[in-house]
Amino acid sequence: MVNSPPRKIVSVVFWKEINEKEPVREWLKTLTKSQKKIIGEDVKTVEMGWPLGMPLVKSMGKGIWEVRSNFKNGIARILFKMHKNQMVLLHGFIKKSQKTPLKDLETALKRAKQLEEL
């Protein structure tokens, strides 16, 4: 019997603005190599194992979820929405407080709404 590689349950896409910019991709480019690696592994875990829960994935309500990545010197979050069997990465940020800042959640909700209008 041949072992085939694990199959993705969902595909990952970056949310695009009207001008084709991808804010999460741009944000990821500003991070260190080790931070990008940790976030990439966490996103891949979601891609291969959806649906997942804590401690890696948490519901933020209104169809928004967060991938929770931890580094030695910080915490990153990527807010996403499942849309047409795709994990759409809406917003990413380095977390500096216990609660997710309302501004960051509102950014993700606004982008999710635009996604639904397409």
Side-chain angles (χ1 to χ4, degrees), residues 1-38:
M1 183 174 167
V2 177
N3 285 342
S4 58
R7 291 188 4 195
K8 295 178 185 178
I9 294 173
V10 296
S11 59
V12 175
V13 296
F14 290 95
W15 179 84
K16 284 186 184 179
E17 294 178 345
I18 294 169
N19 63 8
E20 297 294 309
K21 286 190 178 186
E22 297 171 322
V24 176
R25 186 185 303 269
E26 295 303 315
W27 171 75
L28 286 168
K29 289 177 183 179
T30 69
L31 302 177
T32 68
K33 188 175 182 179
S34 65
Q35 289 172 325
K36 287 186 258 196
K37 184 174 192 265
I38 290 167

Side-chain angles (χ1 to χ4, degrees), residues 14-87:
F14 290 95
W15 179 84
K16 284 186 184 179
E17 294 178 345
I18 294 169
N19 63 8
E20 297 294 309
K21 286 190 178 186
E22 297 171 322
V24 176
R25 186 185 303 269
E26 295 303 315
W27 171 75
L28 286 168
K29 289 177 183 179
T30 69
L31 302 177
T32 68
K33 188 175 182 179
S34 65
Q35 289 172 325
K36 287 186 258 196
K37 184 174 192 265
I38 290 167
I39 291 170
E41 289 170 356
D42 289 343
V43 169
K44 184 177 180 181
T45 299
V46 177
E47 188 179 30
M48 305 300 268
W50 182 256
L52 295 171
M54 291 289 282
L56 183 61
V57 177
K58 179 181 176 186
S59 172
M60 302 302 291
K62 298 185 180 179
I64 304 294
W65 298 84
E66 72 175 359
V67 177
R68 305 159 58 89
S69 297
N70 297 305
F71 318 127
K72 282 183 186 172
N73 57 352
I75 300 168
R77 298 292 187 253
I78 293 187
L79 302 178
F80 70 94
K81 179 174 182 67
M82 296 305 296
H83 181 73
K84 298 181 180 174
N85 208 38
Q86 292 182 317
M87 179 183 179

